[in-house]
Amino acid sequence: MVNDLFDRIQKNKGPLGKWASQAEGYYVFPKLEGPLSNRMMFHGKEVINWSINDYLGLSNHPEVRQVDAEAAAEYGAAYPMGARMMSGHTTMHEQLQDELAAFVKKEAAYLLNFGYQGMVSIIDALVTKNDVIVYDVDSHACIIDGVRLHMGKRFTYKHNDIESFEKNMERATKMAETTGGGILVITEGVFGMRGQQGKLKEIVALKEKYNFRLLVDDAHGFGTLGVTGAGAGEEQECQDGIDVYFSTFAKSMASIGAFVAADKDIIDYLKYNLRSQMFAKSLPMIFTKGALKRLDLLRTNPSLKAKLWENVNLLQNGLKDRGFNIGDTNTCVTPVYLEGSIPEAMVMVNDLRENYNIFLSIVVYPVIPKGIILLRMIPTATHTKEDIDETLKAYEAIREKLENGTYKQIAEATTVDVSNS
């Protein structure tokens, strides 16, 4: 008997989907309204927003908005039509690629329409079934999905654990010697959940011991780390050791798109083998021209990054001074770890949003261990001292409620009703 494909879907909505009736519109798929900024509207009230990745505040920068508007008026949303290989290639795409390559100190770069599908396709293009992949177990979902396409062997190493990395490199080396393939190592410049930088310098140093190539996803590092903002590799003084550098425009550049940078021969290969780009419409001119302006501001206006880090340090130092556990973050990503259950976490988020006007992301099991609540904040250049002071006071208040059992009592007595909040 052949089952109806949809029977499974109707019975099992998935680990997140099963909570949709209780969570949608509030805990997931919330509607933040108004101009992208440090303060936005949520359910009819103004909240301090710690949940957008607009690190440098470029989303509403007047010069950026002007260029975006001019590009929209000049080109519309469609131009250029077609894939780059067929009819969607322009000199402006080439200019952006050249400038991005120079900025991250690589020979060449290639534009991608989206970060997620770009990373998936890069991995697919770089390896064959004879090659071996070694990657950090905490890698972003785009890396995980790219690795899933790999028909050869792959090994994960413990997060940022060099001893584990070496053990898996030894296994990978033996396997590659058997298959006649090579080894691709994949990690992140910044791990976006907990805020640690990947141990790029230590991994690069091991190239003398093992024969591998290194692919780094630096989505959160690009624009925020390094003397010039060129990312985690520049910050750790090992950019030359990164063979394939990848980042997205969806964070510091406050837009859509991505790029990959490497030696020219590698980029030439990827141009003709990245299926996600070969069979997709070219990045529209609105985003291409807009990215050129954003990149120019990254290069010429260091005060944007300076203001970002002023806010990062003010927030993180304020949390540590008050005894909060922010883990070992050494980037802008600011996690706060508390002890509590999922029901307590839901009550806490409701309290933060409704009574303290604080909007942020919350992470619970199975992403992190049971009994831990992770409150994740993304400081930006647009946040103010007032925002930070209000948030620190709110954190002290919610910690007291968590520790004295207030949230547990509410969670046990009621189901948080978010439908009318």
Side-chain angles (χ1 to χ4, degrees):
M1 181 182 74
V2 177
N3 292 321
D4 185 336
L5 179 68
F6 289 170
D7 282 348
R8 172 185 56 81
I9 295 172
Q10 290 161 355
K11 292 174 184 175
N12 182 0
K13 302 296 184 182
L16 292 177
K18 66 182 180 181
W19 301 106
S21 62
Q22 297 169 265
E24 189 163 329
Y26 194 90
Y27 296 101
V28 295
F29 297 103
K31 301 182 185 73
L32 284 165
E33 299 175 311
L36 291 169
S37 187
N38 58 314
R39 296 192 180 226
M40 296 179 69
M41 300 299 293
F42 178 69
H43 281 224
K45 64 171 65 178
E46 185 181 75
V47 293
I48 302 172
N49 183 12
W50 296 103
S51 283
I52 57 174
N53 296 315
D54 185 19
Y55 283 116
L56 301 177
L58 294 183
S59 61
N60 273 305
H61 191 287
E63 294 180 40
V64 168
R65 290 293 296 266
Q66 181 180 348
V67 170
D68 287 351
E70 290 173 352
E74 182 176 0
Y75 298 102
Y79 187 84
M81 286 295 291
R84 293 275 297 280
M85 292 184 76
M86 302 299 291
S87 57
H89 188 66
T90 72
T91 55
M92 198 164 289
H93 286 75
E94 290 182 335
Q95 179 185 347
L96 179 55
Q97 289 172 170
D98 290 344
E99 292 189 19
L100 284 165
F103 185 69
V104 298
K105 302 173 180 64
K106 295 297 179 188
E107 284 185 359
Y110 192 62
L111 282 182
L112 310 170
N113 290 5
F114 294 99
Y116 198 108
Q117 72 174 24
M119 175 56 76
V120 170
S121 197
I122 290 166
I123 296 170
D124 179 53
L126 287 176
V127 293
T128 70
K129 63 182 178 62
N130 294 325
D131 299 317
V132 183
I133 295 176
V134 178
Y135 64 105
D136 191 296
V137 71
D138 275 9
S139 292
H140 188 269
C142 65
I143 295 173
I144 304 299
D145 285 353
V147 171
R148 282 178 175 175
L149 292 178
H150 180 44
M151 298 180 70
K153 287 288 185 179
R154 64 266 195 145
F155 301 105
T156 59
Y157 62 92
K158 294 177 184 177
H159 174 55
N160 262 355
D161 186 322
I162 296 302
E163 182 180 350
S164 176
F165 174 79
E166 286 214 61
K167 287 180 180 178
N168 282 281
M169 283 303 301
E170 290 169 2
R171 298 168 68 193
T173 299
K174 291 178 181 178
M175 184 60 64
E177 287 172 349
T178 300
T179 62
I183 301 173
L184 176 66
V185 171
I186 311 174
T187 189
E188 298 191 45
V190 175
F191 290 87
M193 198 63 66
R194 295 178 175 85
Q196 310 109 322
Q197 292 180 48
K199 295 198 173 179
L200 308 183
K201 192 168 188 176
E202 292 90 335
I203 291 173
V204 167
L206 287 169
K207 281 187 164 187
E208 297 179 5
K209 185 175 181 179
Y210 304 99
N211 185 14
F212 65 89
R213 293 294 186 172
L214 177 61
L215 165 61
V216 173
D217 176 349
D218 201 27
H220 287 273
F222 180 80
T224 69
L225 293 176
V227 175
T228 69
E234 182 182 56
E235 177 79 12
Q236 298 182 36
E237 299 181 341
C238 63
Q239 187 78 342
D240 288 347
I242 297 173
D243 297 293
V244 183
Y245 179 93
F246 165 90
S247 189
T248 174
F249 297 161
K251 294 178 173 61
S252 287
M253 296 271 272
S255 186
I256 285 290
F259 73 99
V260 57
D263 288 347
K264 186 177 183 303
D265 61 335
I266 303 303
I267 293 301
D268 286 343
Y269 171 81
L270 290 174
K271 281 167 59 177
Y272 287 90
N273 291 278
L274 280 175
R275 294 174 64 83
S276 66
Q277 298 305 123
M278 293 167 63
F279 301 102
K281 183 181 178 296
S282 176
L283 189 68
M285 194 65 79
I286 295 174
F287 302 115
T288 305
K289 190 171 182 179
L292 279 165
K293 181 61 184 179
R294 289 161 169 82
L295 181 59
D296 181 59
L297 287 172
L298 260 66
R299 284 190 306 243
T300 62
N301 195 342
S303 64
L304 294 170
K305 185 162 75 74
K307 177 60 179 174
L308 165 65
W309 275 97
E310 178 184 325
N311 287 339
V312 170
N313 292 327
L314 193 61
L315 176 65
Q316 293 185 357
N317 289 336
L319 288 165
K320 288 188 287 187
D321 290 345
R322 288 162 176 79
F324 286 96
N325 176 13
I326 65 170
D328 56 354
T329 179
N330 54 359
T331 66
C332 303
V333 179
T334 305
V336 175
Y337 299 91
L338 300 167
E339 294 183 4
S341 65
I342 293 176
E344 286 175 301
M346 294 178 70
V347 175
M348 181 192 299
V349 170
N350 184 263
D351 193 24
L352 276 169
R353 293 179 181 180
E354 299 307 316
N355 299 315
Y356 298 98
N357 300 328
I358 306 291
F359 188 98
L360 49 74
S361 300
I362 186 165
V363 184
V364 294
Y365 178 82
V367 179
I368 57 175
K370 284 184 178 180
I372 300 296
I373 302 169
L374 189 161
L375 302 178
R376 175 178 175 266
M377 291 185 288
I378 302 293
T380 72
T382 62
H383 282 103
T384 66
K385 186 177 184 301
E386 181 183 6
D387 296 334
I388 295 169
D389 289 342
E390 285 186 35
T391 301
L392 292 172
K393 288 179 182 177
Y395 265 63
E396 290 184 297
I398 64 167
R399 178 174 58 185
E400 181 178 353
K401 293 179 184 179
L402 183 64
E403 291 177 348
N404 68 23
T406 300
Y407 290 145
K408 184 177 181 180
Q409 291 174 6
I410 296 173
E412 290 175 346
T414 63
T415 298
V416 180
D417 181 8
V418 299
S419 60
N420 297 313
S421 296

